[in-house]
Every structure is written in C-alpha cells, then in structure tokens.
Amino acid sequence: MRVVLVGATGGIGRALARRLAARGDRLFLLGRDATSLARSALDLEAHGAPPPVGVGACDLLEPAGFGPALDRAVAALGGLDAVVVTAGAFGTQEVLEQDAALRARVLAANFAGTIELCEAARLRLLAAGGGTLCVFSSVAGDRARRRVVLYGATKAGLSYYLAGLDARFRRAGLRTVCVKPGFVRTAMTAGLPEPPFAADADAVAARALRAIDRGWPVVHAPAVWRLVLLAIRALPRAALRRLEL
C-alpha cells in the first residue's frame, strides 16, 4: 500500500507508521519540522519500510500548501492508496480559555485546516480510482462536556465532516475511517492527570490499522470507549452538568 502520513513524527502517528513500515508499505511523510521528518524517515526504513521514505513540508495552518505537498508525495510513491492524518493541536479547556492565540491555532488546525487537507486528499484519492482516508478525531467530540468544550468542538465538527464524506463518496470508492481515541500517553498529554481507559500509542495504532485494513468508517480506541460514550450520550443534560467529565 502507498501511504501518505501527516503527523507521523511522534505519538500515535509514529506508532502507526512503524506498523505500516513493518509490513512493507511504501510511505511518504508530511509535516512541519524538516529535521524530525528526516529522522523519522530513517527510523521507518530501519523498521522495514522500502527506501526511500520520502518527506515534505506541510502545515495544517497553511492550506495553500496542501495540494502541492500531496502532489509531490503521489509522484514520489508512484500513486496513492491511503492518506492518514494524525496531526492536530491540543490545549486543556482552562488553557484554551485564557490563551487566545493558542485557541485560534487549535480551532484552525483541528477543524478548518484538517478539513481542507482532507478535501485535497479526497480529490486525489478519487482521481486514482479510490482509496482510504483515515483521520484521527477524538472521543472528546462525541458529547459536549465541561472539560473539553473547545477542543471537543473541533473534533465534533471533524467527525461530522468525516461521516458526511462516508455518506457522499463511499460508493465512488473513498473509504473514510474516523478514529476516535480517548486519552493516549504521548508527549502531547505528558503531565496531565491520567483518566480511566488511558492507552499507549501503539495500542491505538494497532486498532487504527485494523480499521484501515477492514474499512471501518468509525472506530473507538481502545474499544471500551464505544460503550463508555454510549452511556455518556444517554445522560440527561442536567446530569451531565453535575459530572466532572
């Protein structure tokens, strides 16, 4: 499989890229930091990816670069079978309420930027006859909660968009996979209190890869989150106001 990954230099993205590399998939990495991209490419070749693992610049806050970046990746790979987007921005609710600049970056990167990137990927996947678009959303977007108002809103919008893509383009050959992790132990969450059902990045990556291979439109990772969210979605609004969720 020929795969373009956006956000594979750390965390879940790196874990997923290593799993793809180990089975011999051809990879091209897009991201912001040229040094991290080059180091990650060598790491993936050492984990089994056919060399060379290509790299290119791409920033979720600069939509004008999405098309050219994807075109360079497709040319280097000789085609395109899948695009995986794990990149995004994060801040706790308290920090996002106080820091307007960070709030603007999180809202722009996680929602508008990611959707514009997906649109550019959709056009190229459909032009190639179909393929998989796998994007990481979050359980934070499944029900509005007091601890994730702003971050959760970006992920709710992203999940809604991906569900729409699935409805509109599945029959044309676009397999949309929306991955919804809970709390994952990565550099992004370092220092934060660890809630129940926290998971390691590799465990989430393994479940995401299974969803990609099987074409599941939505997957929670770990799986227990699907049941947890069913219960949370069933809570009356009055009950939800009283809970520290």
Side-chain angles (χ1 to χ4, degrees), residues 130-198:
T132 298
L133 175 60
C134 173
V135 184
F136 279 63
S137 183
S138 170
V139 299
D142 272 19
R143 176 85 194 264
R145 291 176 282 138
R146 60 193 299 167
R147 286 191 171 181
V148 287
V149 176
L150 290 158
Y151 177 76
T154 68
K155 294 301 186 180
L158 180 59
S159 297
Y160 188 97
Y161 162 76
L162 294 169
L165 278 190
D166 179 71
R168 184 169 175 81
F169 294 107
R170 186 82 171 195
R171 283 183 292 181
L174 182 70
R175 301 201 307 176
T176 304
V177 178
C178 176
V179 183
K180 298 182 178 182
F183 186 98
V184 183
R185 301 181 188 97
T186 66
M188 182 181 287
T189 59
L192 297 177
E194 194 168 294
F197 314 119

Side-chain angles (χ1 to χ4, degrees), residues 31-39 55:
R32 292 183 302 170
D33 188 320
T35 301
S36 295
L37 286 168
R39 185 167 54 240
V55 300

Side-chain angles (χ1 to χ4, degrees), residues 53-75:
V53 172
V55 300
C58 184
D59 187 334
L60 286 178
L61 297 177
E62 297 179 6
F66 296 161
L70 287 169
D71 288 340
R72 285 192 292 273
V74 173

Side-chain angles (χ1 to χ4, degrees), residues 104-145:
R105 288 198 300 275
V106 169
L107 295 175
N110 289 1
F111 184 67
T114 300
I115 288 176
E116 285 294 339
L117 175 60
C118 289
E119 285 294 290
R122 172 183 65 79
L123 292 174
R124 287 155 179 81
L125 287 166
L126 289 173
T132 298
L133 175 60
C134 173
V135 184
F136 279 63
S137 183
S138 170
V139 299
D142 272 19
R143 176 85 194 264
R145 291 176 282 138

Side-chain angles (χ1 to χ4, degrees), residues 15-32:
L16 179 53
R18 284 178 173 174
R19 285 183 168 270
L20 292 165
R23 65 184 199 180
D25 289 325
R26 297 191 60 199
L27 308 178
F28 194 101
L29 310 181
L30 294 177
R32 292 183 302 170

